[in-house]
Amino acid sequence: MSNISRGRDWDRRGVLRAMGGVAALGGLAACGSNTGRSGGGGKSIKQMYHAYGEQGTQQAAKKFADAYGKAKVTIEWVPGEYESKLATTLLGSGAPDVFEYHPDLQLVRSRQIVPLDDIIADVKDDFLPEDITANSVDGKIYGIRMIDDPQFFFYRKSLFEKAGVKPPATFDELIDAAHKLTSGKVKGLYIGQNLKTISKPLVWSTGPHYLDADHRIAYHTDNLVETLTKARELYKSKSLLLGAPTEVWDPASFLQGLCAIQWCGIWAIPAIQKAFGDDFGIFPFPKSGAEGRQVVYNGGWSTYVSAKAKDVDAAKEFVKWLWIDQKKYQQEWALDYGFHIPARKSIAAGADKLKSGVAAEAVELFNTHGVFDDPYWTEGMFNILLDAVVNSVRDNKNPEAELDSADKKIERALKKLG
């Protein structure tokens, strides 16, 4: 689901965490909370969500919490920089009992989350193996996938036809298409107000993941250096939409005709279809270089239980109830507020809304080109490499030197984390 940011530049959206701790970025902000049931035998559970952009999501989260009868569940609905606010509050006395996040080794090594093998054991095979792997560290499962959110480029078919452009299969073709599609007030391409959103598929499109199977640096290749150089040329051109009204999580720029191509996610399909009918399509992030590959980044969210929970067993019981037992709520969360692929295979099999048109194509692209997060690649490592990408593309620094510098920091982090 979307996470709408209001940042206005191409810089990263702030260092979220240093390698050994958390930046002191202030207290947790929440917009609205849920009083939950008054029963539950006196037990209480605090559940934290980022502020989803789709209408109805906050109300649905509250409805789910209200329906739980074994504890009083309150909702923290966090706008803005969710990751940094979560990281800060996890270290304090007001840490949530249950929260959504992405796989991260740092949370395991610092003992901030607990394993969930016992509550997922009976339905483990009903999740994609990649989602299980993405939430596993040292053979233990720490997160339960809530939704899968593949991301790709959306494009206007009529504008492509007018410009004589076909959906790009390579990064060079994407750059060429952006130039040809730029006309008047319409920019050819929108990839975000900063490089944070697009940096993962940009790196992965060169071939390797961040780390290899032995958790060693794999991203630093000649192909990535060349790709960053090309991205710099694209940034300097007048083909990119800058200063857009919203981040790429929101399809507003595409819907308003400010760009011919926009990076976004499967959740946006209903809104775009309502606006343009059949006059739009999607394609993966194109491969870059001879060793490259097309990429569909699987965003999505997983739920975790804090080791600081007031009652860890009660928090785990709630997670099991909501994200394992309540298939009706899981289906509603995935399909009634924008489109998302249900994390449970048994639910996805009956998701009729995803079986036709662009939605069906999105599922097929996800199955063919989907790339998942690596839990051994932490948020801190991501920000280090993001700095190198931003410095190379936006600030015109030497990509090889920037990657060399990132390598040293990331190698120290990997060593520290064992």
Side-chain angles (χ1 to χ4, degrees):
M1 294 185 182
S2 65
N3 178 8
I4 300 175
S5 170
R6 301 293 176 181
R8 291 286 176 180
D9 57 47
W10 267 57
D11 201 356
R12 63 181 175 83
R13 299 190 303 180
V15 176
L16 305 184
R17 278 183 282 162
M19 296 315 303
V22 182
L25 298 176
L28 176 68
C31 62
S33 62
N34 171 52
T35 59
R37 293 190 174 192
S38 58
K43 294 182 179 180
S44 63
I45 296 171
K46 182 194 294 185
Q47 184 182 19
M48 185 181 294
Y49 291 87
H50 82 284
Y52 288 85
E54 293 83 355
Q55 185 175 2
T57 50
Q58 186 175 4
Q59 291 77 11
K62 291 181 178 180
K63 181 179 75 172
F64 302 160
D66 280 337
Y68 190 60
K70 294 185 177 181
K72 175 183 177 181
V73 181
T74 58
I75 300 296
E76 296 271 9
W77 194 257
V78 183
E81 289 289 347
Y82 175 78
E83 290 93 341
S84 60
K85 292 172 183 176
L86 172 65
T88 301
T89 196
L90 282 176
L91 294 184
S93 58
D97 302 291
V98 176
F99 60 92
E100 60 178 8
Y101 197 54
H102 313 292
D104 195 314
L105 177 65
Q106 177 69 41
L107 294 180
V108 176
R109 291 290 186 261
S110 58
R111 299 181 181 179
Q112 292 179 296
I113 54 178
V114 300
L116 303 177
D117 301 79
D118 53 340
I119 66 174
I120 199 176
D122 292 342
V123 296
K124 179 180 176 181
D125 291 341
D126 198 27
F127 290 83
L128 290 177
E130 294 88 348
D131 278 332
I132 295 295
T133 299
N135 275 306
S136 299
V137 173
D138 299 338
K140 295 182 180 180
I141 302 171
Y142 286 86
I144 295 176
R145 197 69 168 186
M146 299 157 58
I147 48 175
D148 285 314
D149 270 344
Q151 300 168 25
F152 18 65
F153 284 112
F154 288 80
Y155 71 97
R156 291 290 302 278
K157 292 181 177 179
S158 57
L159 296 180
F160 269 50
E161 183 177 355
K162 182 179 179 180
V165 174
K166 295 181 179 180
T170 69
F171 191 54
D172 288 336
E173 290 176 0
L174 177 64
I175 295 173
D176 183 61
H179 296 333
K180 290 180 178 178
L181 290 162
T182 298
S183 176
K185 294 182 179 180
V186 180
K187 295 296 184 180
L189 180 64
Y190 180 40
I191 57 175
Q193 299 169 18
N194 52 58
L195 284 170
K196 182 174 183 178
T197 302
I198 210 70
S199 66
K200 290 183 178 181
L202 178 67
V203 172
W204 297 340
S205 72
T206 64
H209 210 298
Y210 290 126
L211 304 174
D212 64 19
D214 295 318
H215 316 308
R216 297 174 301 191
I217 289 174
Y219 60 80
H220 191 163
T221 64
D222 292 340
N223 194 13
L224 178 56
V225 173
E226 183 178 354
T227 298
L228 292 176
T229 301
K230 291 178 180 178
R232 169 62 184 170
E233 294 304 313
L234 174 63
Y235 172 70
K236 289 194 302 183
S237 74
K238 298 181 184 283
S239 302
L240 286 182
L241 174 63
L242 303 176
T246 61
E247 250 297 351
V248 287
W249 306 110
D250 185 343
S253 296
F254 189 65
L255 296 176
Q256 294 173 21
L258 301 179
C259 57
I261 309 172
Q262 177 180 325
W263 182 259
C264 199
I266 190 174
W267 58 83
I269 288 177
I272 295 174
Q273 197 160 28
K274 181 179 180 180
F276 297 138
D278 294 330
D279 186 23
F280 78 101
I282 57 176
F283 60 89
F285 197 100
K287 69 176 184 178
S288 186
E291 303 299 320
R293 56 173 169 166
Q294 293 179 308
V295 171
V296 172
Y297 171 48
N298 181 37
W301 295 85
S302 297
T303 190
Y304 302 87
V305 171
S306 171
K308 285 187 175 182
K310 292 181 290 294
D311 186 330
V312 170
D313 289 336
K316 289 170 65 175
E317 187 176 3
F318 169 68
V319 166
K320 181 179 183 298
W321 175 83
L322 180 54
W323 296 113
I324 293 178
D325 298 339
Q326 300 300 312
K327 283 192 171 184
K328 179 180 68 174
Y329 289 155
Q330 294 161 38
Q331 178 175 313
E332 177 182 343
W333 192 245
L335 299 171
D336 288 3
Y337 313 102
F339 285 170
H340 316 272
I341 300 177
R344 302 282 293 278
K345 291 187 286 186
S346 59
I347 300 175
D352 292 339
K353 293 179 180 180
L354 304 181
K355 293 183 178 180
S356 62
V358 176
E361 184 180 356
V363 173
E364 178 61 28
L365 289 175
F366 169 69
N367 291 334
T368 305
H369 302 293
V371 180
F372 294 68
D373 284 311
D374 179 353
Y376 290 84
W377 181 259
T378 68
E379 190 72 20
M381 296 175 199
F382 169 75
N383 280 309
I384 291 171
L385 187 56
L386 178 59
D387 274 339
V389 172
V390 170
N391 291 342
S392 301
V393 175
R394 188 200 64 183
D395 298 336
N396 200 28
K397 294 184 178 180
N398 184 285
E400 188 69 66
E402 291 300 313
L403 292 175
D404 284 342
S405 177
D407 291 350
K408 294 176 182 178
K409 297 174 184 176
I410 290 170
E411 284 172 353
R412 287 198 297 269
L414 287 168
K415 184 177 181 180
K416 182 176 181 180
L417 291 170

